[in-house]
């Protein structure tokens, strides 16, 4: 399909209608973005099988703050997706932005643009309450053997706490009265993970259409609505999870979808995390012991040969796995001991990173045996789950349906964790392809209230190959947009990290903000650089009191918790009392306290880390000054970043200039972007790091920032 005149007219009319209804004038950057998206997606051609012909149509657009990205991609992509008979999947980086689009932006576009479309919110199973589990928790006597099935991840099947029980009772009442739809995000209060985890599920534990509560299931009700809409509002994590299941499990298959990745700069890192594997050796040993007890109890409950035969085949495998993990523990303990090579000390404890992803032969051999045994264990758990599925369907009626459902959840949980172990031990028993970036592999000795444990980790250093294979080459089309996609005024970093095809459409559209007139960038001379950690901290302590002079809102961003706490602890009490420290309040509470103080006419200073440098919206007087303690270079001891640096170095590159500087430039743009949130905003940015002046890379970082007035001492 080459973009027809009819579609062009529909897009232009929708945009004009929306602008007119809001009494707004067209923004130059917004118009450019609409044109780029429409031109790119308008090239999509479908074959007789309704599948894309030729290369994927992908548009990567960096759109500055205030451009109005949502209306731009919506009015361009919705008509094209409908004309092609494809679903539009809008994926955001956070649930918060996802809900903003669902409850504010898209209803507005639907009402005021003249476009005829339906949309629905999509979230994964883990965001929804499982009524079967909730009912089971409130009705089963924790003293019975069945309780062990309800708590497969808790040692000994811990009893239900009084507080949790009261919350569950309130949830059940809210559901019955129609005051709650069963999703975590709409519950009236924040729900702790320890309370939520027992009442949610995943695809391995869910009995689907066989569940006695399926007609009332919050997840299935939400999923059914996706079939009837033109546009699905999801998030990056859900898209990645769906792709990992082959695509089309929850969301439309990539071949039938046009994706919009809002906040697309986060997609590569989210993909890396999604394909990471982490397991703790001692915790896994305890879980195996617990799994053996659960399966033994199931065998006794069933009292039938088919069940007992399968369970009897699994129990020796559990014993072998435990013995191998004991060997691995001894091996790792020796490596992490005082005589061990390459042992690093970091915040969590002792750590060894296996350089170049290469493992000792003895570790690889043990990992290969673990992979083989976990594969047999997972297959055995799957066979037991199939027997339970037959009972749920009424084919055997060995176990009552209500009981079979609880056992199915427990066995499904066992199967999922076995699969998770499979991924880790496959990685630890496989040699990386020399032509591809290696995985980062490391072990960490951890000490907590439960005692010592050793965490085994494996993570891709880049997700470009996985995204290319599973997403870009399969999708009908895609738009990636964010205010920060370029680094040092180039898309090269994003292409490398994301795997997006180099022949995609790349565009930078301007923000409507008058950066030069509205904001200034100060780089004072503190007489010390951040490389002198102690001296730099003392200089910031001396600087902070001056922030109270304006009587307005200030955001101070630190790159390290140690420095943030060091500055806070040494402030005079009168100054400290006007500082809101990130560690003292939940994020949403701290921001609300800050607004309340400013509303009363008093100054307020927020001390925050990286999570406050992105996604924080404090317009007007709530934030008229952003202070950045230092250039936000990544922590040098992060094992993934260290492995990536080694790989670049081996290939003749300079990791500092190719990774550290571009990454820091993007983070600095994001941090400074907390200042101007509306066209009427004004203020200043202060960078307490003169390396932008004294180092050769400094000018490139300065030039990557918006055109703020510069005041450099």
């Amino acid at each position: 399909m080459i973009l027809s005149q009819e579609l062009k007219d529909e897009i232009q009319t929708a945009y004009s209608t929306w602008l007119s209804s809001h009494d707004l004038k067209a923004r130059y950057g917004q118009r450019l973005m609409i044109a780029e998206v429409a031109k790119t997606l308008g090239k999509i051609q479908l074959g007789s099988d309704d599948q894309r012909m030729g290369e994927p149509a992908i548009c990567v657009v960096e759109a500055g703050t205030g451009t109005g990205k949502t209306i731009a991609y919506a009015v361009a992509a919705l008509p094209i997706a409908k004309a092609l008979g494809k679903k539009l999947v809008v994926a955001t980086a956070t649930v918060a932005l996802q809900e903003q689009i669902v409850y504010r932006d898209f209803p507005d576009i639907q009402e005021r643009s003249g476009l005829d479309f339906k949309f629905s919110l999509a979230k994964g199973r883990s965001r929804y309450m499982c009524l079967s589990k909730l009912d089971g928790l409130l009705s089963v006597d924790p003293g019975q053997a069945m309780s062990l099935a309800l708590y497969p991840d808790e040692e000994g099947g811990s009893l239900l706490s009084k507080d949790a029980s009261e919350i569950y009772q309130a949830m059940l009442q809210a559901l019955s009265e129609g005051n709650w739809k069963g999703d975590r995000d709409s519950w009236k209060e924040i729900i702790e993970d320890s309370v939520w985890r027992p009442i949610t599920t995943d695809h391995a534990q869910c009995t689907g259409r066989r569940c006695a509560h399926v007609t009332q299931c919050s997840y299935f009700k939400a999923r059914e609505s996706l079939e009837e809409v033109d546009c699905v509002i999801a998030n990056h994590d859900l898209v990645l999870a769906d792709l990992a299941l082959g695509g089309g499990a929850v969301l439309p298959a990539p071949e039938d979808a046009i994706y919009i990745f809002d906040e697309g700069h986060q997609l590569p890192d989210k993909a890396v995390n999604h394909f990471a594997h982490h397991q703790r050796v001692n915790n896994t040993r305890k879980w195996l012991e617990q799994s053996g007890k659960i399966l033994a109890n199931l065998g006794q409950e069933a009292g039938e040969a088919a069940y007992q035969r399968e369970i009897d085949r699994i129990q020796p495998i559990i014993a072998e796995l435990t013995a191998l993990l004991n060997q691995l523990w001894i091996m790792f303990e020796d490596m992490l001991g005082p005589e061990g090579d390459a042992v690093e000390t970091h915040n969590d404890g002792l750590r060894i990173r296996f350089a170049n992803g290469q493992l000792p032969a003895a570790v690889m051999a043990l990992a290969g045996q673990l992979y083989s045994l976990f594969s047999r264990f997972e297959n055995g758990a799957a066979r037991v789950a199939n027997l339970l599925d037959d009972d749920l369907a009424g084919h055997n009626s060995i176990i009552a349906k209500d009981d079979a459902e609880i056992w199915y959840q427990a066995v499904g949980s066992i199967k999922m964790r076995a699969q998770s172990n499979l991924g880790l031990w496959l990685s630890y028993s496989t040699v990386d392809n020399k032509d591809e970036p290696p995985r980062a592999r490391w072990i960490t000795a951890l000490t907590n209230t439960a005692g010592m444990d050793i965490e085994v980790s494996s993570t891709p250093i880049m997700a470009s190959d996985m995204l290319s294979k599973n997403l870009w080459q399969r999708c009908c089309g895609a738009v990636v947009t964010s205010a920060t996609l370029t680094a040092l005024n180039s898309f090269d970093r994003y292409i490398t990290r994301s795997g997006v095809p180099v022949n995609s459409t790349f565009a930078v559209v301007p923000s409507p903000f008058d950066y030069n007139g509205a904001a200034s960038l100060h780089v004072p001379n503190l007489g010390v650089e951040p490389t002198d950690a102690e001296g730099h901290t003392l200089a910031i302590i001396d600087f902070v009191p001056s922030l109270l002079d304006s009587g307005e809102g200030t955001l101070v961003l630190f790159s390290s918790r140690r420095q943030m706490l060091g500055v806070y602890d040494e402030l005079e009490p009168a100054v400290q009392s006007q500082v809101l420290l990130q560690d003292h309040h939940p994020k949403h509470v701290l921001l609300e306290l800050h607004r309340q103080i400013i509303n009363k006419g008093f100054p307020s200073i927020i001390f925050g880390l990286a999570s406050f440098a992105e996604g924080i919206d404090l317009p007007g007087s709530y934030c008229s000054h952003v202070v950045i303690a230092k250039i936000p270079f990544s922590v040098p001891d992060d094992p993934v970043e260290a492995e990536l640096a080694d790989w670049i170095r081996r290939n003749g590159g300079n990791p500092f200039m190719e990774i550290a500087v571009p990454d820091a430039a993007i983070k600095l743009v994001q941090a400074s972007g907390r200042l101007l949130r509306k066209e009427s905003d004004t203020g200043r940015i202060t960078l307490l790091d003169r390396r932008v002046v004294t180092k050769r890379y400094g000018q490139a970082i300065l030039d990557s920032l918006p055109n703020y007035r510069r005041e450099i001492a």
Side-chain angles (χ1 to χ4, degrees):
M1 176 189 78
I2 303 300
L3 192 63
S4 67
Q5 188 60 49
E6 183 180 356
L7 271 175
K8 289 180 183 177
D9 291 343
E10 184 179 0
I11 291 168
Q12 290 169 357
T13 300
Y15 183 48
S16 298
T17 302
W18 184 84
L19 287 171
S20 178
S21 70
H22 286 279
D23 196 23
L24 295 172
K25 292 182 179 180
R27 294 175 177 176
Y28 176 64
Q30 198 172 56
R31 284 176 30 242
L32 282 180
M33 183 171 175
I34 292 170
E36 293 290 353
V37 172
K39 183 173 64 176
T40 302
L41 298 182
K43 296 176 182 177
I44 297 172
Q45 295 189 55
L46 303 181
S48 57
D49 58 354
D50 286 332
Q51 297 303 301
R52 187 199 75 230
M53 298 170 62
E55 294 299 311
I58 298 172
C59 184
V60 182
V61 184
E62 179 174 271
T65 305
T67 300
K69 295 186 289 292
T70 307
I71 182 66
Y73 63 64
V75 298
L78 280 165
I80 293 174
K82 284 192 73 174
L84 290 166
K86 301 297 181 182
K87 281 252 197 323
L88 187 67
V89 177
V90 177
T92 72
T94 62
V95 171
L97 180 55
Q98 184 185 19
E99 294 191 333
Q100 175 187 312
I101 291 173
V102 169
Y103 298 120
R104 191 183 75 185
D105 297 344
F106 265 48
D108 177 71
I109 295 169
Q110 195 177 49
E111 180 183 350
R112 295 171 178 260
S113 70
L115 291 175
D116 180 21
F117 67 97
K118 296 178 181 178
F119 66 93
S120 183
L121 174 66
K123 292 186 280 194
R125 274 186 177 88
S126 65
R127 306 306 298 182
Y128 292 94
M129 176 274 310
C130 172
L131 189 54
S132 175
K133 282 193 169 184
L134 181 63
D135 185 53
L137 280 166
L138 292 173
S139 61
V140 174
D141 178 2
Q144 296 176 353
M146 185 73 76
S147 69
L148 198 55
L150 287 169
Y151 300 90
D153 293 324
E154 300 291 335
E155 293 182 33
S158 59
L159 298 178
L160 192 60
S161 73
K162 181 181 177 182
D163 288 345
S165 179
E166 289 175 353
I167 293 172
Y168 297 154
Q169 290 285 1
M171 286 178 171
L172 196 60
Q173 183 175 346
L175 280 169
S176 64
E177 294 173 351
N179 297 325
W180 183 49
K181 293 184 178 180
D183 63 303
R184 183 175 185 173
D185 305 297
S186 66
W187 185 245
K188 56 190 176 183
E189 299 166 350
I190 293 175
I191 308 172
E192 297 295 332
D193 286 345
S194 59
V195 174
W196 181 255
R197 197 179 304 114
I199 59 167
T200 191
T201 189
D202 53 45
H203 74 276
Q205 298 179 63
C206 179
T207 56
R209 301 297 174 185
R210 302 198 193 286
C211 178
H213 301 282
V214 67
T215 58
Q216 302 164 284
C217 177
S218 302
Y219 170 72
F220 276 103
K221 282 182 179 180
R223 183 175 172 181
E224 284 170 0
S225 69
L226 303 184
E227 301 294 327
E228 305 163 0
V229 299
D230 306 295
C231 177
V232 177
I233 316 296
N235 57 50
H236 296 179
D237 291 318
L238 182 56
V239 171
L240 291 167
D242 195 63
L243 292 175
L245 293 171
V250 178
L251 300 171
E255 293 80 3
D256 297 321
I258 292 175
Y259 294 94
I260 308 287
F261 290 102
D262 204 342
E263 296 176 318
H265 65 281
Q266 294 195 27
L267 183 63
D269 287 340
K270 282 186 174 287
V272 164
N273 292 334
H274 190 82
F275 292 103
H277 301 292
H278 305 276
Q279 293 291 332
R280 296 184 179 184
V281 178
N282 197 37
N283 182 275
T284 302
R285 289 188 294 194
K286 292 177 180 178
W287 165 74
L288 283 168
E289 179 184 3
Q290 191 179 57
S291 297
K293 292 177 181 178
I294 290 171
L295 292 169
N297 286 338
L298 172 57
Q300 292 176 7
E301 169 105 358
E304 202 272 346
Y307 277 95
Q308 199 60 56
R309 184 168 55 250
E310 295 296 347
I311 290 167
D312 285 346
R313 291 167 66 181
I314 293 173
Q315 296 293 9
I317 297 173
I318 291 176
E320 289 183 69
L321 282 168
T322 302
L324 283 176
L325 288 171
N326 289 340
Q327 292 181 48
L328 194 71
W329 177 275
I330 294 169
M331 190 180 297
F332 283 161
E333 203 172 29
D334 287 343
M335 290 181 184
L336 290 161
E339 304 301 322
D341 295 329
V343 177
E344 306 168 352
T345 302
H346 68 112
N347 291 340
D348 295 328
L350 299 177
R351 179 173 67 206
I352 292 177
R353 177 175 65 89
F354 299 105
N356 305 333
Q358 295 179 357
L359 297 155
V363 173
M364 291 188 71
L366 270 179
Q369 294 178 65
L370 284 165
Y371 173 76
S372 177
L373 283 169
F374 268 113
S375 181
R376 290 169 57 195
F377 182 31
E378 192 268 340
N379 288 334
R383 288 192 296 270
V384 174
N386 289 338
L387 290 172
L388 289 163
D389 192 53
D390 285 341
D391 278 330
L392 283 166
H395 296 158
N396 295 330
S397 301
I398 297 168
I399 297 177
K401 185 175 180 179
D402 287 350
D403 290 346
E405 195 165 321
I406 295 174
W407 286 114
Y408 188 94
Q409 293 166 5
V411 174
S413 176
I414 291 171
K415 187 172 74 166
M416 277 293 287
R417 184 151 176 182
Q419 288 174 349
S420 179
N421 271 277
L422 274 177
L424 176 69
W425 301 118
L426 176 62
S427 167
Y428 264 66
S429 60
T430 305
V431 177
D432 293 319
N433 188 326
K434 290 184 179 179
D435 298 327
E436 297 176 0
R439 293 182 72 93
R441 298 177 176 89
W442 70 98
I443 58 174
T444 310
L446 304 171
T447 304
N448 52 39
T449 53
M452 181 186 169
D453 211 335
I454 298 173
E455 185 171 68
V456 188
S457 303
S458 171
T459 303
I461 59 174
M462 285 193 292
S464 51
D465 289 341
M466 286 168 280
L467 286 174
S468 177
K469 178 182 176 182
N470 296 311
L471 176 59
W472 309 126
Q473 295 304 322
R474 290 183 60 189
C475 70
C476 186
V479 175
V480 181
T481 187
S482 167
T484 49
L485 288 174
T486 61
L488 305 179
N489 300 308
S490 168
F491 283 101
D492 289 349
R493 174 189 178 277
Y494 193 77
I495 293 170
T496 301
R497 293 289 183 103
S498 70
V500 68
V502 293
N503 60 351
S504 302
T505 299
F506 295 93
V508 176
V509 302
S511 165
F513 291 173
D514 175 14
Y515 288 107
N516 189 265
S520 59
L521 171 66
H522 298 249
V523 184
N525 188 353
L526 299 181
V528 62
E529 290 190 354
T531 47
D532 176 2
E534 184 178 353
H536 189 246
T537 296
L538 290 172
I540 296 176
I541 292 167
D542 290 338
F543 174 80
V544 169
S546 67
L547 300 177
L548 297 173
D549 296 343
S550 68
E552 294 183 318
T554 301
L555 176 63
V556 183
L557 297 168
F558 294 88
S559 295
S560 81
R561 176 170 271 104
R562 176 178 294 179
Q563 185 175 56
M564 180 178 75
L565 296 177
V567 171
Y568 179 82
D569 289 342
E570 294 302 319
L571 292 174
E572 292 292 331
V575 177
Q576 193 181 82
S577 67
Q578 296 180 77
V579 173
L580 294 170
L581 187 70
Q582 174 179 332
D583 288 356
H584 289 176
H585 307 278
K587 192 173 184 178
H588 71 285
V589 173
L590 184 147
L591 292 174
E592 183 56 32
L593 287 171
H594 176 75
R595 293 187 188 99
Q596 290 174 8
I597 294 168
I598 299 298
N599 288 341
K600 293 176 181 177
F602 298 108
S604 177
I605 304 171
I606 293 174
F607 275 17
L609 297 168
S611 63
F612 278 73
E614 185 176 356
I616 295 296
D617 196 22
L618 293 169
S621 61
Y622 294 130
C623 184
S624 59
H625 193 179
V626 173
V627 179
I628 302 166
K630 59 185 178 181
I631 300 170
F633 288 114
S634 297
V635 179
D637 67 348
D638 178 84
V640 179
E641 294 295 327
E643 189 61 51
L644 179 58
D646 282 354
W647 180 69
I648 288 175
R649 204 176 285 113
R650 288 197 305 275
N651 286 276
N654 181 335
F656 181 74
M657 294 305 297
E658 293 179 37
I659 303 174
V661 173
D663 285 4
I666 282 185
K667 291 175 183 176
L668 198 58
V669 171
Q670 290 166 347
S672 66
R674 297 314 95 208
L675 180 67
L676 303 181
R677 307 306 301 164
K678 300 186 300 184
E679 288 185 63
S680 59
D681 286 352
T682 60
R684 58 183 174 146
I685 299 153
T686 300
L687 176 61
L688 303 177
D689 188 340
R690 285 187 58 80
R691 286 178 294 179
V692 291
V693 179
T694 61
K695 303 297 182 183
R696 63 185 180 88
Y697 57 79
Q699 191 63 46
I701 290 179
L702 278 176
D703 290 345
S704 70
L705 293 169
N707 185 32
Y708 304 120
R709 295 190 314 278
R710 293 182 186 175
E711 299 177 10
I712 299 175

